[in-house]
Amino acid sequence: MSEAIVEYRLAGPDDALCIAVLAMQVFLDTYTVNGMRPDLARETLEIYAPEAFARRLQDPATRFILAERAGHLIAFAELALDRVPPHEARPGAAELVRLYVQRYFKRMGLGRELLSRAEALARSQGANSLWLTSWSGNTAALAFYPTQGYRDIGLTSYTIQGNSYENRAFAKILEASDRT
């Protein structure tokens, strides 16, 4: 791998295919640690299909921040504006739907940089907090978010094809003085 500079930008409609395939790879790397099951296979083909990402890219309340190196997508953050977090009635919150870094580029600061950019984008759109959920089996994510100022706000679950998976919910107040 070359030492090319990482560039960050907002995604456009033409990015759906690469986002989808990278998302599939990261999803499968993270969630199929015990092997493939029908629910995970169907989730991959439905939720992570290029058409599904193309629809989200057209949604005015959704933003994607891409990290690219030498023209190759290596990570992304998906942000949904104005979503209330579980366990807390906090209007004006934004959700970090996904923060996915391709396995070859982990532990290089990309997650931290994408998270910082997602927070800044959320603030610029008037959000007063950012929240996310992380699968309870994703120990790396569960350790990462508290180091970035996120508070564990409790258990929640995510249902995949009728099977419930335990998640932890995290939230961070975005300082009003930092919002533009």
Side-chain angles (χ1 to χ4, degrees), residues 150-169:
Y150 284 77
R151 179 175 54 90
D152 186 328
I153 59 172
L155 279 174
T156 188
S157 64
Y158 182 75
T159 302
I160 298 176
Q161 304 289 321
N163 292 319
S164 184
Y165 291 84
E166 182 180 280
N167 279 246
R168 299 300 308 181

Side-chain angles (χ1 to χ4, degrees), residues 39-180:
D39 63 330
L40 296 172
R42 282 191 291 277
E43 179 85 353
T44 303
L45 294 176
E46 292 172 14
I47 301 300
Y48 294 92
E51 299 79 17
F53 280 99
R55 284 189 298 276
R56 290 199 292 277
L57 283 162
Q58 293 176 354
D59 181 348
T62 301
R63 306 283 191 288
F64 286 82
I65 304 168
L66 307 183
E68 296 176 319
R69 200 161 114 170
H72 296 87
L73 180 64
I74 58 175
F76 73 89
E78 180 180 353
L79 184 66
L81 303 171
D82 201 24
R83 288 211 187 154
V84 177
H87 312 305
E88 293 189 3
R90 184 180 306 280
E95 178 187 7
L96 181 68
V97 179
R98 288 176 186 80
L99 178 61
Y100 281 7
V101 178
Q102 192 177 34
R103 69 176 159 234
Y104 307 109
F105 300 97
K106 289 188 175 190
R107 307 208 48 87
M108 295 175 58
L110 296 172
R112 186 172 35 257
E113 181 64 25
L114 281 168
L115 185 58
S116 175
R117 288 172 182 263
E119 290 171 1
L121 182 56
R123 279 191 298 270
S124 77
Q125 298 297 305
N128 56 29
S129 65
L130 187 60
W131 68 277
L132 62 105
T133 61
S134 181
W135 174 50
S136 295
N138 188 346
T139 56
L142 296 177
F144 171 72
Y145 290 109
T147 68
Q148 304 306 304
Y150 284 77
R151 179 175 54 90
D152 186 328
I153 59 172
L155 279 174
T156 188
S157 64
Y158 182 75
T159 302
I160 298 176
Q161 304 289 321
N163 292 319
S164 184
Y165 291 84
E166 182 180 280
N167 279 246
R168 299 300 308 181
F170 293 89
K172 180 179 182 178
I173 301 298
L174 302 175
E175 298 300 322
S177 61
D178 295 334
R179 286 197 298 271
T180 56

